[in-house]
Amino acid sequence: MRAILCLSATAIVLAGCSYSSSGPADNHSIDRAGLVASGDVDVTGSAEYSGMFVDAGGRIDRDLSLSGANVTSDANVGGNLDIEGARIRFTGRVDGDTEIAGATMYLDGHFGGRLEVMGARATIDGNVLGELEAMGARFNLQGRFARPVHVVGSGGDGRNGRVVVSGVLEQGGYICARHVDVRRHADIRGPLTIIAEDRPDWDGAMSFEPLDGRDCDRIRHG
C-alpha cells in the first residue's frame, strides 16, 4: 500500500491535504490525497484517491486507483479499478479489469472484466463477468460468476482457509481450501473441481480430491 505523505498537524483537522487536476477536456484526470480523501467526481480521464479514509463516487471514464486504511466506493469506472486497503467496500460498476488487495472486503457490484482478489476475508456478491482469481483465508462467493472461478485458500491454522459457495457459478471452476461449504441454494452449472479436507455435503456433480495435508498454493492446477 502506498505511503500516505500528508500526516501533518494541519492534515489532522482538514479533510484533505492536496487536490490536483490535469489534462485536456477529453482526458481530464484528478488526484486527491489526505487524511480524508473523498468526493464524487465526473472526469473523462482517470482518478486517484489516497488517504487514511477514502470515499470515492461518481463517474470515471478511464481508470480508478484507491488506497487507504478504510476504502469505500460506489463509483462507475469505465476502465480498470485498483484498490489497496485494510477495510474495503465497493458497490459500484467496473467495465474493465479489477485488482483488489485488503484485509476485509465486501464487494457487491458489476465487474465487467477479470476480478483479482487477495486478502484475509472477502464477500463477493453482484455480477462478475470475467474470470475470478482469488487467494485468501476466507471467501464467501454469493454473487453471479459468468466465467470459471479460481479460488485458493490460505491463512488460518491450517494455512488453507475456508470457502463458502452460495451464489451462481455459471461455468464452475476450481476451489482449493481446507474447508469448502457448498450451500443448498448454490447454483453450479459448469464443471467444478474441489480440493479440501472433506468432501462438501452437496449432491451436485463435482470432481473432488482430498487435500491430504497439502498447501493449496503449492498445488498445480490446469
Side-chain angles (χ1 to χ4, degrees), residues 27-193:
N27 188 20
H28 183 71
S29 298
I30 68 161
D31 186 345
R32 293 185 175 182
L35 185 63
V36 178
S38 66
D40 289 354
V41 297
D42 186 357
V43 294
T44 53
S46 299
E48 181 173 352
Y49 290 67
S50 60
M52 286 293 292
F53 302 95
V54 172
D55 189 348
R59 171 71 193 181
I60 297 92
D61 286 354
R62 298 198 177 182
D63 301 335
L64 175 62
S65 178
L66 308 173
S67 63
N70 193 320
V71 179
T72 301
S73 177
D74 61 357
N76 291 326
V77 184
N80 300 326
L81 172 67
D82 180 37
I83 304 178
E84 296 178 352
R87 185 180 180 90
I88 297 169
R89 180 183 179 89
F90 182 81
T91 55
R93 176 187 180 94
V94 185
D95 293 341
D97 296 332
T98 301
E99 294 185 11
I100 299 179
T104 302
M105 292 163 277
Y106 177 73
L107 313 176
D108 184 5
H110 175 95
F111 301 92
R114 181 181 179 87
L115 174 60
E116 296 184 18
V117 179
M118 178 176 293
R121 182 187 298 263
T123 295
I124 306 176
D125 207 335
N127 292 303
V128 181
L129 302 188
E131 293 183 354
L132 170 69
E133 185 87 22
M135 176 177 286
R138 297 178 67 91
F139 283 106
N140 187 349
L141 309 182
Q142 59 185 40
R144 169 182 166 265
F145 302 87
R147 299 290 300 277
V149 304
H150 188 277
V151 182
V152 176
S154 64
D157 294 338
R159 299 181 59 191
N160 289 295
R162 175 185 176 90
V163 176
V164 177
V165 181
S166 56
V168 180
L169 306 186
E170 293 190 351
Q171 295 190 27
Y174 168 85
I175 299 174
C176 181
R178 185 180 183 189
H179 301 292
V180 178
D181 181 7
V182 181
R183 298 294 170 85
R184 294 184 180 275
H185 57 274
D187 184 359
I188 301 175
R189 305 170 189 174
L192 178 64
T193 298

Side-chain angles (χ1 to χ4, degrees), residues 191-210:
L192 178 64
T193 298
I194 293 178
I195 301 178
E197 283 192 349
D198 300 304
R199 185 184 182 90
D201 183 15
W202 182 62
D203 296 332
M206 64 177 164
S207 173
F208 174 75
E209 179 181 337

